[in-house]
């Protein structure tokens, strides 16, 4: 399909074309029901097969061990910001939060509302406008913390933890909304992982949550409203109430496609290639394109922020890119400049098209 727009939006973001085409083919008659998947019971065997497949593919693609539960929830990362302290900071438990960007700060502030002084700042680069991640020596991890919260990819600023922070063995709780499944990684140091689906996995409305059994056991929050209890969702296999069936169906399509192309190893290789192409271009024209992130080692493979010599040129860049079939390049309002979001569904060819445009733009305007 040649009339598909090349989509660099930060979120909701583009989805793999084959996952959408499958949805199109199955829309009016899902699994021989003569109805769409949106129109049938979440207790039907046809929906159940989708639900189970989405869970199983998540486990398989990420190599999730048996002592973790995979949950499909709602409320986005925002509801998780609150559910995590409500469930996990009971009984005098404490946590450290590493604040590395706009979203990490939100998670910290929401946790503070619940946990007060039991929620501590484990490190922050706010005084540097979050233009790099903290070094290990800049972290303050307390030995009595039950977990350390961090944000694996800082969507607004364009930094990404290539090696996860050093916590002396204290388990991680991690917001992976903008880079989940960008590469294979070892899940075992994580007590809980959560991710709104709308960047790397599917449409908005689904929050993938992966929780280790010992963390689940800590969630003895019987006095919380039912929906807020991780344990209840785990016991009910994410079917306590009506799940976001259509979102989960699209998630299933995306994951099945990811598996068909070779899984996370292949996806990682594509993402690394995309990063090399984009950062290679920025580094070739340092007098024209100025990266926002100051440490090369902290550069994100998902969100790439940079500035042009003037606001006028930035506007021209966005307008001309749109004419060339590429959208979503305007930087986040607090930072300005350009942000390229190159999530899993963005192809190497898409990035080659953008890089060719960027090179031509320098020649014309540099
Ligand atoms: C987009 C994003 C969020 C916000 O997610 P919602 O689903 O809108 O709540 C939170 N954290 C990170 C890292 C994000 O990229």
């Amino acid at each position: 399909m040649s009339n598909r727009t090349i989509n660099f939006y930060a979120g909701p973001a583009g989805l793999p074309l084959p996952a959408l085409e499958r949805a199109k083919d199955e829309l009016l008659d899902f699994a021989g029901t003569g109805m769409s998947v949106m129109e049938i019971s979440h207790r039907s065997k046809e929906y159940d097969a989708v639900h189970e497949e989405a869970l199983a593919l998540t486990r398989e693609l990420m190599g999730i061990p048996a002592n973790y539960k995979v949950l499909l929830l709602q409320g986005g990362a925002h509801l998780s910001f609150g559910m995590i302290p409500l469930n996990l900071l009971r009984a005098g438990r404490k946590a450290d939060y590493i604040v590395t960007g706009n979203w990490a700060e939100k998670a910290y502030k929401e946790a503070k509302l619940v946990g007060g002084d039991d929620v501590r700042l484990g490190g922050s680069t706010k005084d540097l406008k979050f233009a790099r991640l903290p070094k290990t020596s800049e972290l303050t991890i307390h030995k009595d913390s039950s977990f350390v919260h961090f944000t694996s990819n800082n969507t607004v600023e364009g930094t990404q933890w290539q090696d996860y922070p050093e916590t002396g063995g204290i388990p991680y709780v991690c917001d992976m909304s903008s880079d989940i499944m960008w590469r294979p990684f070892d899940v075992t140091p994580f007590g809980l992982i959560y991710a709104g689906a709308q960047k790397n996995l599917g449409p908005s409305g689904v929050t993938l949550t992966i929780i280790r059994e010992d963390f689940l056991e800590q969630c003895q929050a019987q006095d919380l409203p039912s929906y807020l209890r991780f344990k209840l969702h785990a016991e009910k296999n994410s079917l306590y109430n009506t799940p976001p069936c259509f979102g989960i169906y699209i998630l299933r399509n995306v994951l099945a496609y990811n598996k068909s192309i070779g899984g996370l190893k292949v996806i990682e290789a594509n993402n690394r290639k995309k990063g090399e192409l984009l950062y290679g271009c920025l580094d070739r024209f340092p007098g024209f394109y100025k990266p926002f992130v100051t440490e090369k080692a902290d550069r994100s493979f998902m969100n790439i922020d940079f500035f042009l010599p003037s606001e006028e040129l930035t506007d021209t860049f966005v307008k001309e890119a749109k004419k060339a079939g590429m959208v979503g390049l305007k930087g986040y309002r607090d930072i300005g400049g350009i942000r390229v979001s190159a999530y899993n569904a963005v192809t190497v060819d898409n990035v080659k098209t953008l890089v060719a445009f960027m090179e031509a733009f320098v020649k014309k305007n540099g």
Side-chain angles (χ1 to χ4, degrees):
M1 260 182 84
S2 56
N3 63 346
R4 288 276 294 169
T5 298
I6 299 181
N7 181 346
F8 295 108
Y9 278 123
L15 295 170
L17 185 57
L20 295 176
E21 282 173 335
R22 182 174 180 184
K24 183 181 171 206
D25 291 344
E26 294 179 344
L27 187 68
L28 299 185
D29 181 11
F30 172 68
T33 59
M35 296 172 276
S36 77
V37 70
M38 283 175 274
E39 302 170 295
I40 61 176
S41 169
H42 58 294
R43 314 276 175 205
S44 65
K45 70 174 191 324
E46 290 84 4
Y47 174 72
D48 196 57
V50 170
H51 194 87
E52 288 302 329
E53 193 183 347
L55 294 170
L57 283 167
T58 301
R59 280 191 177 280
E60 183 182 344
L61 286 164
M62 294 181 67
I64 298 172
N67 64 329
Y68 284 79
K69 288 272 194 276
V70 179
L71 310 178
L72 300 167
L73 305 178
Q74 302 191 55
H78 277 79
L79 185 56
S80 305
F81 291 163
M83 280 172 77
I84 286 163
L86 284 168
N87 281 273
L88 292 172
L89 292 181
R90 294 292 174 119
R93 287 199 182 85
K94 300 178 200 305
D96 294 314
Y97 273 64
I98 304 176
V99 174
T100 50
N102 174 77
W103 294 118
E105 187 170 39
K106 265 214 161 150
Y108 172 64
K109 285 185 174 163
E110 293 286 299
K112 274 270 190 207
L113 289 175
V114 176
D117 291 344
D118 292 337
V119 173
R120 299 167 299 196
L121 193 61
S124 171
T125 46
K126 190 170 183 171
D127 57 343
L128 303 169
K129 296 197 168 71
F130 300 126
R132 66 165 173 83
L133 298 172
K135 316 269 174 216
T136 301
S137 61
E138 296 166 344
L139 298 178
T140 309
I141 305 301
H142 298 85
K143 286 203 168 59
D144 62 347
S145 277
S146 305
F147 64 83
V148 174
H149 182 283
F150 75 105
T151 309
S152 53
N153 181 70
N154 296 286
T155 322
V156 170
E157 295 80 8
T159 59
Q160 186 178 33
W161 292 88
Q162 302 305 325
D163 297 315
Y164 295 136
E166 192 53 64
T167 66
I170 297 173
Y172 301 129
V173 169
C174 188
D175 178 359
M176 291 198 182
S177 292
S178 55
D179 71 350
I180 187 147
M181 299 202 203
W182 86 280
R183 66 171 177 187
F185 68 97
D186 177 16
V187 173
T188 57
F190 292 82
L192 191 154
I193 293 167
Y194 61 105
Q198 67 271 22
K199 277 121 189 186
N200 242 359
L201 295 178
S204 61
V206 184
T207 314
L208 178 64
T209 303
I210 299 159
I211 182 166
R212 207 165 67 191
E213 273 166 3
D214 58 319
F215 268 61
L216 211 48
E217 282 316 306
Q218 293 174 30
C219 302
Q220 302 294 352
Q222 293 300 337
D223 55 340
L224 287 181
S226 309
Y227 193 87
L228 302 181
R229 299 184 216 153
F230 286 122
K231 212 170 177 195
L232 186 60
H233 292 295
E235 281 160 11
K236 301 291 183 187
N237 195 29
S238 306
L239 285 161
Y240 167 66
N241 69 326
T242 317
C245 300
F246 190 66
I248 291 169
Y249 162 80
I250 300 288
L251 168 69
R252 187 282 306 263
N253 288 3
V254 171
L255 298 181
Y257 170 72
N258 288 349
K259 182 178 170 182
S260 77
I261 60 169
L264 300 196
K265 276 206 178 108
V266 169
I267 288 174
E268 176 178 18
N270 287 341
N271 284 330
R272 289 199 181 277
K273 181 80 206 159
K274 282 148 55 184
E276 269 166 37
L277 288 165
L278 277 165
Y279 288 115
C281 179
L282 297 186
D283 293 342
R284 264 196 311 288
F285 304 106
F288 193 82
Y289 295 122
K290 294 247 181 302
F292 173 74
V293 174
T294 53
E295 282 287 328
K296 283 192 179 179
D298 297 341
R299 286 174 164 182
S300 168
F301 284 86
M302 299 284 105
N303 309 96
I304 296 95
D305 292 12
F306 57 89
F307 300 106
L308 276 70
S310 70
E311 296 230 352
E312 217 177 316
L313 278 174
T314 310
D315 288 344
T316 310
F317 183 97
V318 171
K319 278 192 196 118
E320 289 188 4
K322 187 157 188 207
K323 269 192 216 140
M326 292 175 280
V327 300
L329 293 164
K330 203 169 157 32
Y332 188 83
R333 55 187 179 276
D334 295 351
I335 293 186
I338 299 292
R339 171 171 55 173
V340 181
S341 296
Y343 301 123
N344 287 356
V346 172
T347 65
V348 173
D349 278 347
N350 292 160
V351 169
K352 281 183 180 161
T353 304
L354 176 60
V355 167
F357 170 85
M358 287 170 68
E359 286 175 347
F361 198 84
V362 181
K363 290 212 179 87
K364 205 166 130 196
N365 300 288

